[in-house]
Amino acid sequence: MRCDGGLRYGGDYNPEQWPVEVWREDVALMRRARVNLVTVGVFAWSRLEPEPGRHTFDWLDQVLDLLHDNGIRVALATPTASPPPWFSLAHPDALPVTADGVRLHHGSRDTYCAAAPAYRAAARQIAAALADRYAHHPALALWHVHNEYGTTCHCAHTARAFRRWLAERHGDLDTLNAAWSTSFWSQHYTDWAQVDTPRATQYLANPGHLLDFRRFWSDTLLAAYAEQRDLLRAANPTVPVTTNHVLGDWVPVDPGRWAAEVDLVAIDHYPDAVDGGAEEQTALAADLARGWARHGVRRAGSPDRPAAWLLMESAPNQIHTGGRMHTKEPGRMARHSLSHVARGSRGVMFFQWRAPAGGAERFHSALVPHAGPDSRVFREAIHLGEMLERLSEVGDAPVDAPVAIAWDAASGWALGHPGMPSPWLDHHAEVAAAHRALWRAGFGCDIVLPGDPLDGHRLLVLPALYLASDATGDWVRQHVHGGGHVAVTWLSGVADDHARVRLGGHPGAFRDVLGVRVEEFHPLADGTTVPLSGGGTGRLWAETVRLAGAEVVASYAGGMLDGMPAVTRHRFGAGTAWYLSTRPDDATYGRLMTEAARAAGVTPVCPAAPSGVEAVRRRGAGASWLFLLNHTDRPQRVPAAGVDLLTGATIDTEVRLPAGGAAVLREAVG
Ligand code: GAL
């Protein structure tokens, strides 16, 4: 970001929804809260171009000047996530079509087809007009292209583009037929014109077809992003460009693949767990973003460029879960924010600055709520601004993370396909379960994508990494052979890149490393568990595991698998490979991961931290910083020493954290 050092703080700012008097109050309040970056214009297309080709930039000129005069930088958005009504009436062919053939109409947001030439041309035009006018505006720190790319379409434009993408990927129809196993159910294609998007069909769709469509659509959206980025960059190459990814248990695009195309990875994170799980979700989201950023700089061939990422959106207060809004109790907003900063975010941004009186999201939380600045939330916003200012010295110091967890968008997509042995197979949920086990046990984790370098990662965890190419098999093999440790869970390595099952016993890609051969799957009914020897239970899944060199760590205790291996360990080359053939309960998972981590020579970040206190360490040249977050509702003591940046206090032996409180210690190194 073109920002002076320090952390960025602010959020989505929508002056187009307010009269000028409110703008003046806004900037005064922003200064009070120490806001230094706002995202402007995300959904402002109809206010910037009220009719085709007629631009009304006067209000945006005033807003940018006002912000600049007050020392507030701008992430200027291109408004292409919400074309105006005139656009859809003029170009009905650019409206999206659902899988069952219904063409949607304007009236909400994100109602366009990203493969429609008219949409792409209009998006380029409005982005170019913004670039022309603002690329050299002194307030401009960052271009924010679009918003949360992800909506999909099944129109004729999309089908044509899909066929072109498939021809490029597979070369010819024979190869496509083989990749999609089209001999099954008479799906063999003899002409490209027969291939369509995976529209609604009579019964189960083809898994290879579905998987390629997800990949194609992610690439199509990426191309739509890249053409805007290129023209923004051409207007002023010194201004970085990004777009924000929505996070959750669904993945509309592959952010890992996109990461090489952005100047910093930006995520929006709205944890949906209440009563406890939100902290774990926050830690995982931040680790994912950092992992994508690291993957991106490597993929772009510029490993020396900092792997930067930013929390672009989060909720200052209520979050919507299960139809009801849940209030964040005092201190939680700050703790979640600090958890992101601890894991490398270059700042903390919110949706949204001021709560609107109308519109679909009128009850979404905001830094300035409906009640106005005389409110708990705004007072907490001021406090957070003060805290963030005190943390600027942490800069881009790397996060200590000796454990790597593999994440793969395509495995997530493939496990969501119909015809799987269980309806509860979810790569993201399995990554979250492994991450939770390690997080609760206090270990620092990086997220990696298959094939990423494993420098410094002593333990690699593969949670339900369903798709594994031969190259992924080699990646794991070399890591373990060279002395690394790996923990592989059920459903990993079962299928190849085209979602075709690897034959000869599961997990096909990793059998030799693990020293096991899985003969049968035993998906468990919802809510049922299977006892394990030594205590604990497995859920969701069990397997008939045959040993082929591995030793048994735990067995199934009861039922048809009684006495058979459930968890195994295998020496392979100079390393060790663990296999978990079921999803252990959280406590058992934590025990197993702790044992695997210890065997790999990995220790927790702050071994003496009490349960419920999260510890993250960053290490820079000649300094280290220990973030301590007390997620409990009781005061906690943590043996540690240093200077608490949040209070300025020198801590000699023990930090006292108030209930829900935090400390960031600059530690003496030497
Ligand atoms: C985000 C989106 C914002 C707003 C927010 C509400 O996903 O980018 O525009 O809708 O959700 O939580």
Side-chain angles (χ1 to χ4, degrees):
M1 256 166 302
R2 275 204 331 180
C3 290
D4 322 318
L7 294 164
R8 300 296 102 199
Y9 178 41
D12 275 42
Y13 178 41
N14 298 102
E16 70 275 19
Q17 297 170 3
W18 300 95
V20 178
E21 311 78 76
V22 178
W23 303 355
R24 296 209 184 88
E25 192 198 6
D26 283 331
V27 287
L29 292 174
M30 285 176 191
R31 289 178 64 137
R32 251 176 88 192
R34 295 169 158 78
V35 161
N36 56 24
L37 182 71
V38 289
T39 306
V40 178
V42 173
F43 293 112
W45 197 341
S46 65
R47 296 296 308 277
L48 291 169
E49 192 178 2
E51 52 191 69
R54 184 169 72 81
H55 295 129
T56 43
F57 288 135
D58 45 328
W59 66 271
L60 189 54
D61 293 350
Q62 283 181 57
V63 168
L64 263 57
D65 291 349
L66 179 66
L67 290 165
H68 177 62
D69 291 346
N70 284 276
I72 299 160
R73 309 297 299 273
V74 172
L76 188 56
T78 65
T80 51
S82 226
W86 59 254
F87 174 81
S88 33
L89 292 176
H91 303 284
D93 67 306
L95 286 166
V97 175
T98 63
D100 40 14
V102 176
R103 196 176 278 281
L104 302 178
H105 202 60
H106 65 256
S108 179
R109 67 177 186 189
D110 291 298
T111 317
Y112 57 85
C113 166
Y119 168 75
R120 294 279 280 269
R124 285 193 302 270
Q125 277 157 19
I126 187 68
L130 285 164
D132 263 7
R133 196 166 184 97
Y134 300 111
H136 294 277
H137 194 286
L140 182 65
L142 176 70
W143 287 108
H144 175 301
V145 173
H146 200 89
N147 191 65
E148 296 183 340
Y149 278 101
T151 44
T152 188
C153 181
H154 291 266
C155 74
H157 296 302
T158 306
R160 268 193 297 277
F162 186 38
R163 286 192 279 271
R164 280 196 299 273
W165 184 93
L166 289 170
E168 206 164 297
R169 175 170 169 79
H170 295 285
D172 54 52
L173 275 179
D174 286 348
T175 313
L176 177 140
N177 279 310
W180 291 4
S181 306
T182 55
S183 304
F184 191 81
W185 282 351
S186 180
Q187 292 171 354
H188 193 82
Y189 294 105
T190 54
D191 189 319
W192 284 103
Q194 297 161 0
V195 184
D196 208 334
T197 64
R199 287 185 154 227
T201 190
Q202 147 66 14
Y203 186 42
L204 304 179
N206 179 306
H209 187 189
L210 290 172
L211 181 58
D212 268 351
F213 185 68
R214 297 298 300 255
R215 290 177 166 135
F216 149 75
W217 196 245
S218 178
D219 284 359
T220 301
L221 295 176
L222 180 56
Y225 158 79
E227 64 192 21
Q228 287 197 41
R229 176 206 56 199
D230 291 348
L231 57 87
L232 297 170
R233 255 190 204 158
N236 183 350
T238 67
V239 181
V241 188
T242 193
T243 184
N244 50 336
H245 292 300
V246 59
L247 248 95
D249 51 8
W250 61 292
V251 187
V253 301
D254 180 347
R257 201 170 154 83
W258 283 50
E261 307 289 334
V262 295
D263 293 314
L264 88 163
V265 167
I267 61 159
D268 299 347
H269 191 236
Y270 297 93
D272 59 6
V274 284
D275 304 331
E279 281 75 31
E280 298 159 10
Q281 292 182 341
T282 300
L284 173 58
D287 286 342
L288 275 167
R290 193 176 68 256
W292 293 330
R294 196 177 338 92
H295 177 78
V297 295
R298 290 210 159 107
R299 200 182 161 108
S302 42
D304 299 333
R305 198 180 88 193
W309 74 274
L310 175 68
L311 174 66
M312 187 64 93
E313 285 183 29
S314 54
N317 189 13
Q318 284 103 347
I319 47 158
H320 228 141
T321 326
R324 180 166 76 85
M325 288 200 165
H326 294 262
T327 307
K328 287 189 179 175
E329 62 277 55
R332 184 173 275 229
M333 168 182 90
R335 272 199 332 279
H336 285 194
S337 302
L338 291 176
S339 172
H340 282 285
V341 171
R343 291 180 165 77
S345 177
R346 296 303 168 84
V348 177
M349 304 284 285
F350 291 93
F351 180 86
Q352 54 199 328
W353 166 252
R354 187 185 275 278
E361 292 186 330
R362 62 207 174 287
F363 289 114
H364 194 287
S365 56
L367 291 169
V368 182
H370 288 145
D374 182 10
S375 56
R376 169 181 77 91
V377 174
F378 189 66
R379 280 187 284 279
E380 288 194 32
I382 294 175
H383 184 48
L384 178 60
E386 288 164 1
M387 288 199 263
L388 294 176
E389 259 190 16
R390 296 194 190 121
L391 297 181
S392 56
E393 67 177 62
V394 181
D396 58 4
V399 178
D400 248 13
V403 180
I405 303 176
W407 175 93
D408 176 43
S411 285
W413 295 334
L415 280 177
H417 288 166
M420 295 298 288
S422 161
W424 303 294
L425 308 181
D426 179 341
H427 174 65
H428 190 86
E430 293 314 311
V431 169
H435 187 269
R436 178 166 64 240
L438 288 153
W439 181 83
R440 288 188 181 167
F443 296 102
C445 297
D446 270 337
I447 299 291
V448 294
L449 277 76
D452 277 353
L454 292 170
D455 26 70
H457 297 115
R458 320 271 315 245
L459 173 65
L460 168 66
V461 184
L462 308 184
L465 187 71
Y466 178 64
L467 304 181
S469 62
D470 293 348
T472 299
D474 288 344
W475 174 63
V476 174
R477 204 165 286 117
Q478 276 165 22
H479 168 67
V480 183
H481 201 266
H485 293 232
V486 71
V488 177
T489 86
W490 53 288
L491 273 178
S492 294
V494 168
D496 69 10
D497 232 14
H498 301 294
R500 289 175 306 205
V501 175
R502 290 174 173 276
L503 304 178
H506 312 296
F510 308 124
R511 276 196 310 259
D512 56 336
V513 179
L514 296 171
V516 299
R517 194 172 70 85
V518 172
E519 211 178 296
E520 271 183 77
F521 294 151
H522 302 268
L524 302 182
D526 194 19
T528 61
T529 57
V530 48
L532 302 174
S533 63
T537 55
R539 53 182 284 257
L540 290 169
W541 194 261
E543 293 177 339
T544 305
V545 179
R546 304 283 178 206
L547 299 178
E551 58 173 323
V552 178
V553 175
S555 310
Y556 291 104
M560 104 179 230
L561 295 175
D562 188 36
M564 300 193 61
V567 178
T568 62
R569 190 169 44 211
H570 184 224
R571 285 296 291 175
F572 181 80
T576 302
W578 298 67
Y579 185 58
L580 281 64
S581 67
T582 182
R583 159 85 88 82
D585 62 77
D586 281 351
T588 307
Y589 212 159
R591 254 193 299 112
L592 288 167
M593 287 297 104
T594 301
E595 212 186 314
R598 292 241 157 91
V602 175
T603 47
V605 176
C606 183
S611 158
V613 173
E614 175 174 5
V616 183
R617 186 171 275 112
R618 307 271 297 272
R619 280 183 210 276
S624 74
W625 295 270
L626 179 64
F627 287 71
L628 294 168
L629 310 175
N630 179 6
H631 297 306
T632 74
D633 55 8
R634 296 173 308 284
Q636 300 283 0
R637 296 165 175 225
V638 186
V643 174
D644 183 355
L645 300 183
L646 298 182
T647 60
T650 300
I651 310 292
D652 291 325
T653 53
E654 181 183 81
V655 189
R656 291 170 181 226
L657 297 168
V664 182
L665 301 190
R666 185 200 302 124
E667 300 175 304
V669 286

